[in-house]
Amino acid sequence: MRRLIICFILILSGVPSFAQSKQKADVLYSKDQFSGAAEVYESILRKQGESAEIYYNLGNCYYKMNEIPLAILNYERALLLSPADDDVRANLVLARSKTIDKAVPPTEMFFVTWWKSLVNCMSINAWTHLALISFVFCLVGLLVYLFMSSITMRKTGLYGAFFLFIIVIVANLAAYAQSVRINERTTAIIIAPAVSVKSSPSDNSTDLFIIHEGTKVDILDNSLKGWREVKFEEGKQGWIPKDAIEVI
């Protein structure tokens, strides 16, 4: 019991610290002191953990400082935690417009695009809450079907329970898909000004092409020390030094 009380006090004591730090960073940002604001936002993330809002604010700082790769990196991290945030998405598009490489993603089947859009229309917490609420009302519908004497009410309860059960399944699948993306972190941003993509993980291997800062890549292989096999949005792939990228 004593340990629980101590933990509770520590949690409460951290709230004012977070609010004060964020307020300090916001004030610095409003005064165009973007470097100082970025340092405070970075400190908040180290102490308090991930936050879509802080990543977004940090991305704004780096954008104002013309550090486009770091701006894109933090916008992507914010979007990972809050995929339905239109402000984050708009700023990410703006930052990407300032990069050298304009990748054209490969075409997808319409249902893949539709599913990704559905998954990203809400955060993982929102999907989890929707699944829980739908499950509760699904049980209510089953109770109505089992115990009501009216045929109309019983049909309504049965059909309603079936519809809500479908929502429960979809919400859980969407929450799981977002959970996998957040936990696995298999995408990254090129932070080096320019990188020669190699045919194999060796400095002496053939140069395939050059990629520039701010480009988003998928990590295919991270098992070799100092090297990462990556795939670019337009479908090309190759090996680059580990230090050239930052995982989202």
Side-chain angles (χ1 to χ4, degrees):
M1 184 65 180
R2 183 180 177 184
R3 290 182 178 179
L4 290 175
I5 294 174
I6 293 174
C7 290
F8 183 70
I9 292 173
L10 289 174
I11 292 172
L12 289 180
S13 64
V15 173
S17 176
F18 170 81
Q20 291 169 4
S21 297
K22 183 180 180 302
Q23 184 180 23
K24 177 183 176 182
D26 293 343
V27 170
L28 289 171
Y29 184 89
S30 66
K31 294 180 178 180
D32 294 344
Q33 298 179 25
F34 306 120
S35 179
E39 289 181 7
V40 179
Y41 286 133
E42 293 275 14
S43 175
I44 292 173
L45 290 169
R46 287 193 298 269
K47 294 177 181 178
Q48 306 292 335
E50 292 190 304
S51 164
E53 181 184 8
I54 301 301
Y55 278 135
Y56 173 68
N57 292 346
L58 184 57
N60 289 338
C61 289
Y62 283 124
Y63 184 83
K64 293 290 186 178
M65 295 160 62
N66 203 35
E67 296 283 354
I68 302 302
L70 294 178
I72 292 174
L73 175 66
N74 283 282
Y75 288 146
E76 287 280 6
R77 287 172 173 172
L79 200 63
L80 191 65
L81 300 177
S82 183
D85 194 315
D86 291 333
D87 290 334
V88 176
R89 197 174 295 276
N91 283 19
L92 177 58
V93 171
L94 183 61
R96 280 183 169 178
S97 69
K98 295 183 177 295
T99 59
I100 296 175
D101 301 314
K102 311 300 181 186
V104 179
T107 56
E108 298 175 326
M109 297 297 291
F110 75 92
F111 56 85
V112 176
T113 303
W114 177 84
W115 172 247
K116 288 182 178 179
S117 299
L118 178 64
V119 169
N120 292 331
C121 74
M122 293 194 297
S123 67
I124 185 173
N125 289 335
W127 280 118
T128 303
H129 292 155
L130 177 62
L132 180 60
I133 293 171
S134 299
F135 181 72
V136 170
F137 280 100
C138 178
L139 293 180
V140 172
L142 289 176
L143 292 175
V144 169
Y145 169 73
L146 292 173
F147 297 105
M148 294 296 289
S149 57
S150 170
I151 298 299
T152 301
M153 290 296 293
R154 293 187 67 189
K155 285 184 177 180
T156 301
L158 180 61
Y159 294 147
F162 178 76
F163 176 72
L164 289 167
F165 183 68
I166 297 298
I167 294 179
V168 170
I169 294 175
V170 171
N172 275 288
L173 289 175
Y176 175 75
Q178 288 199 17
S179 175
V180 169
R181 285 196 312 162
I182 291 173
N183 292 326
E184 290 188 356
R185 304 291 177 104
T186 57
T187 54
I189 300 297
I190 302 291
I191 58 173
V195 183
S196 294
V197 182
K198 302 285 187 176
S199 60
S200 61
S202 170
D203 290 325
N204 298 323
S205 62
T206 305
D207 292 340
L208 300 177
F209 52 92
I210 295 177
I211 200 74
H212 299 88
E213 61 184 5
T215 303
K216 185 178 180 180
V217 298
D218 293 319
I219 301 173
L220 302 178
D221 188 343
N222 61 1
S223 61
L224 295 180
K225 183 178 180 180
W227 290 90
R228 295 292 182 266
E229 185 181 18
V230 297
K231 180 179 180 181
F232 302 90
E233 288 184 321
E234 65 268 28
K236 297 185 293 184
Q237 64 187 66
W239 293 86
I240 59 176
K242 174 186 176 182
D243 295 338
I245 61 174
E246 186 74 28
V247 176
I248 294 173

